[in-house]
Structures are given as C-alpha cells and as structure tokens.
Amino acid sequence: MPRNSRRAVLAGLALCLAATAVSCSSDTGKKSASGPVQIEYWGWTDVQPVVDKFNATHTDIKVKLVKQADLPGTATALRNAVAAGSAIPCLAQNFGDVPALLSEGLLTDVTDYVKPAESKFKASALSGAKVQDKYYGIPTGTGPTFMMVNRAAYDKYGVPVPKTWDDVIAAGKKLKPHGVQVMNLAGEDPSTLVNLIIQAGGTWYSVQNDAWKVDFLSPESVASANILQQLVDNGLVANQTYQDRPALIAYFDQGKMVSLPTSTWQLTNYELHFKKTIGDWEPVDLPQFAGATKFATPAHGSALLVPKGCQHPREATEVGIWMNTTKDGVDATYDKATGSYAWPGAMPDPSPWIDASVPRKLFGSHRSEAKTVIDKASGSGVDNWLVGPNYTGVFKELQDQWAQAVTKKITFRQLLENMQKFTVDDLKAKGINVAS
C-alpha cells in the first residue's frame, strides 16, 4: 500500500474509534443471483469437519475450506489477495489483533450482522472482534487461563501452592535451593507480561477524543513489571524457548520447573508427551494480584476475520456465528484421537465441554478438581485490552525488549519506558494523532 494511502487508513481508524457513527465499510453484502452463496474459508488448522457439518445442515450457504500452510502463510496470502483486489476469501482464521489488521485495510465492517447476535456470545468474547462498537469479525473468545503445578514437587519440598503472584515469588525462593525453577519465561515470548496486565484490568492503548493515548507506565503495567523483575532478579525462572517444542516439553517433564500458566488447548500435548511426571500435576486457580477485590483471569479474545473485499459479508457472518455459538458447531470439532473438542471460547456456557477438555492421566488423582478450576477461570475472564493501529510493529519491538529484560540487560521498568517512547514516536511517524 502506498505510504499516503496507508496513513489515511491509519488516521481513519483513529477517527472511527472516536466517532463510531461514521461507517468504515463499503461492502454491500449482495447475494448470488441463483444457487447457494459460496463462502471461502482460509485457515491452517483442520476445521474440515466443522465445514462439513455446516454444509450438511444448510442449503442456502455452502463453505469451502482452502487449507493454508500455517499462520504466516495465511497472513501473507490474505494481504496479497486484498492488495490485488481479487480471489479474496470471506472468512479467514485470525493471525493478529483486529485493530491492527483493520489499520492495514484488511477487514470489512460486519456490525449490522453481528450486533443482533451479541446475546449468543460470552460478554468477554465480544471485544476481541471489534474496534469500539464496530465489528470486523466474528467473536471466537479465548480459552480459560489457570495454572497447573507439579504438586508432587511442591509437596516434596514442603512449599505451599501459590494463590497470589507474591506467593509465586515466595515459592520460587523456597524451591531455588533445590535446583527447581518456579516458572518459565521464554526469551522470545512476552505474553506473560501482557497477560498480567490484562488480568490486572490494564491496557497500553486507549482513545481520547480524536487521538490515541499510550500508557505503558500505567499502574497495572508497573505492578506487573515489578512481579516479573523479582522473579528474574532472584533467579527463580527458567528461560526455555518455545521454538523447540519437544525440548521444552522434556524440560517441563523433569520436575525442575513446577508452575505453568496454561489453558485447555495445551493439556492434551502435555498428556501425550509427559513421561516422568504424568499424574503429578494439579490444576489450580491462576494466582491473583495481592489485594485484588475480584478474582480475574486474562481473557483477551480473538475473531474469525471477514476480509475486506468479501462479496458476502452477511452470509460469512452467519457461518461464523453458527461455528462459534451452536452445539452442532462445537460438537463438530471433536477429535477422536484425543477425545476432546476445540474450546468453545465464545459460548456463554462452555460447561458441557469441560470434562472432555481434561486429559485422563495428566492430573492423576487431581483430575476431579479440573472442572471447578476451569469453570471458574472461564467465568472470571476480563478484557480491557485495546491494541492500536501500529501494534504489529510494536509487538516486534516488545519481543526484542522482553528478551533483554529476562536476561537482565535492562530492567522491566526500562522495557516499559522504551516501549512508551517507541510506540508514541511510531504513531507520530505514521501521521496519527497522539494524546499528550
């Protein structure tokens, strides 16, 4: 996209956020002259059974899955299609945050089609698919966040299972003399910082009148950074990379790292690959901030994207709503090999699928506790997180800053200060208003 056009799109997004009455979509949603409407779906995971179930139960709309190689491949293919203005799908698996993708001109406004169906979704799932009050995709929600601990190791060393993040630090100090790390902070993955801030109810971006306000030094951010700084300064965490998954799983299975913030989608992988510690783990509530008045878990959701140039946004939205909010849609995700379903993160009541999301052996005698923990986590999700139009580049810079912080080259406070300057400068360089 030419620089001037890109700046116009980015500036337009800020205006859309500030004045939601202004429409930012030019799609018409016209239907085919005859026969069922054909919806092309691009994604890299296997949703063919869901597509097949939809097609078997609908006559006016048919879905064709076009399998992509992976997340980066989907992102590149969609950007190329939208730029060319041809061969554009009407649904695409998500590969980024909606505001940032909208700023690239990749998404279409489907507010008129999602708004009447809002009651079908969990309230916390809605924000991940919209920019202010306008929807640019179908809410998919997110998995519940809780913690699994190696209870056998905690008991062996007489350390209480942590209930707060301060308890996590205290537990780490007691475990350290035994050569045991309390958590893992991968050098390439700043999601722990982001999730702590979301859990605390914070965000880095907000909108003030017709400008973006950036606040990396919010109280929620500083509190989260302080927790991480203590973990790193005291040498309480490992830095095992996620890029070598087999090695990571093998490390977790040694009993040398004993606390894992996790979600339902990860459990089967642990079940299949843990050998030494299978049955030693226990699901527990996610640690809370000391003094928190309400139990909370981070629940920043996602969206099934409706790309710009889709010729049938109404029908595409209908497909997405069916996939994410109906029993048939969720049941169609059943995996015979694992005996589990894709987590119904958009559903107001996911309880019918909780039991199937918990592996049989991973938690041993503690398996019966999983349903209560997962149900509580699912019902306690909070999401005040808003990303700005330049978040794609900001996240890349955040990864670099994070790698320096976890290796003690800079402090987490310096990370926040550096990110504040980088983000503000980057927005201004793109011609976007920034509130002082």
Side-chain angles (χ1 to χ4, degrees):
M1 182 181 293
R3 179 171 174 80
N4 289 342
S5 297
R6 179 172 172 76
R7 288 179 62 177
V9 170
L10 292 164
L13 173 59
L15 292 174
C16 284
L17 283 165
T20 58
V22 178
S23 172
C24 294
S25 171
S26 60
D27 291 292
T28 62
K30 292 180 180 178
K31 298 189 71 171
S32 298
S34 62
V37 172
Q38 301 291 327
I39 298 297
E40 197 166 283
Y41 181 132
W42 287 8
W44 61 92
T45 59
D46 184 16
V47 296
Q48 190 64 58
V50 183
V51 168
D52 290 344
K53 183 65 174 180
F54 181 89
N55 289 337
T57 55
H58 294 74
T59 58
D60 57 338
I61 305 172
K62 296 297 178 182
V63 182
K64 177 184 178 183
L65 176 63
V66 179
K67 190 77 177 288
Q68 306 295 304
D70 49 28
L71 183 153
T74 306
T76 299
L78 185 63
R79 288 185 171 106
N80 289 342
V82 172
S86 62
I88 299 170
C90 269
L91 291 172
Q93 195 170 349
N94 192 289
F95 52 85
D97 281 277
V98 164
L101 298 179
L102 178 61
S103 75
E104 294 186 55
L106 295 178
L107 306 180
T108 196
D109 184 344
V110 291
T111 306
D112 289 346
Y113 317 127
V114 176
K115 200 84 172 174
E118 282 182 330
S119 63
K120 296 182 178 181
F121 295 91
K122 178 182 294 186
S124 62
L126 298 175
S127 60
K130 62 182 178 178
V131 178
Q132 207 75 332
D133 285 330
K134 291 185 177 295
Y135 289 95
Y136 297 90
I138 299 93
T140 57
T142 188
T145 303
F146 53 98
M147 182 174 272
M148 52 183 274
V149 299
N150 186 326
R151 185 58 185 264
Y154 269 92
D155 289 347
K156 178 180 179 180
Y157 301 115
V159 179
V161 173
K163 295 184 178 180
T164 69
W165 290 109
D166 288 346
D167 292 343
V168 172
I169 297 167
K173 291 178 178 178
K174 292 178 180 178
L175 291 165
K176 184 179 178 181
H178 304 287
V180 176
Q181 308 288 344
V182 72
M183 280 180 57
N184 183 60
L185 298 178
E188 74 279 2
D189 182 17
S191 62
T192 301
L193 173 60
V194 172
N195 284 332
L196 280 169
I197 296 168
I198 296 173
Q199 182 186 13
T203 184
W204 286 331
Y205 292 87
S206 60
V207 176
Q208 184 173 304
N209 297 322
D210 63 345
W212 286 96
K213 183 173 178 61
V214 179
D215 190 5
F216 278 79
L217 293 166
S218 66
E220 297 87 357
S221 297
V222 171
S224 301
N226 287 341
I227 290 167
L228 295 168
Q229 194 68 60
Q230 292 180 72
L231 288 169
V232 170
D233 283 349
N234 288 283
L236 309 181
V237 293
N239 300 130
Q240 296 293 315
T241 179
Y242 289 117
Q243 295 174 348
D244 186 347
R245 197 71 183 179
L248 180 73
I249 296 296
Y251 174 75
F252 289 168
D253 195 29
Q254 292 175 7
K256 296 296 185 181
M257 195 291 303
V258 294
S259 315
L260 274 169
T262 191
S263 189
T264 50
W265 67 271
Q266 297 169 306
L267 301 182
T268 298
N269 195 32
Y270 298 141
E271 167 99 345
L272 293 174
H273 295 99
F274 281 177
K275 306 300 181 186
K276 299 177 181 178
T277 61
I278 194 76
D280 290 346
W281 297 84
E282 177 185 8
V284 299
D285 291 338
L286 188 72
Q288 300 292 293
F289 283 86
T293 58
K294 184 179 179 181
F295 185 86
T297 59
H300 182 56
S302 187
L304 181 59
L305 307 176
V306 181
K308 190 75 172 179
C310 163
Q311 295 301 301
H312 306 289
R314 181 191 301 274
E315 290 78 11
T317 304
E318 182 179 335
V319 173
I321 292 172
W322 179 91
M323 288 182 169
N324 288 287
T325 68
T326 68
K327 185 178 185 300
D328 279 351
V330 176
D331 285 349
T333 68
Y334 183 72
D335 184 338
K336 292 180 180 179
T338 63
S340 62
Y341 301 84
W343 180 258
M347 297 279 278
D349 179 18
S351 59
W353 296 277
I354 291 178
D355 189 65
S357 72
V358 183
R360 303 288 130 184
K361 299 177 183 178
L362 178 64
F363 297 132
S365 62
H366 296 290
R367 187 181 186 278
S368 61
E369 302 161 23
K371 183 170 183 177
T372 300
V373 169
I374 293 172
D375 194 39
K376 182 178 180 181
S378 179
S380 304
V382 295
D383 184 15
N384 294 318
W385 190 252
L386 175 66
V387 304
N390 63 338
Y391 191 67
T392 300
V394 166
F395 188 78
K396 291 179 180 177
E397 178 66 19
L398 177 62
Q399 287 179 301
D400 292 340
Q401 294 288 321
W402 171 264
Q404 295 181 63
V406 297
T407 54
K408 298 185 180 181
K409 294 178 182 176
I410 62 173
T411 67
F412 284 92
R413 173 79 186 201
Q414 288 173 319
L415 175 154
L416 295 176
E417 292 171 348
N418 293 344
M419 290 307 305
Q420 176 74 19
K421 184 177 187 306
F422 176 91
T423 305
V424 169
D425 289 349
D426 186 61
L427 285 170
K428 289 180 177 178
K430 290 179 168 64
I432 302 171
N433 291 337
V434 180
S436 58

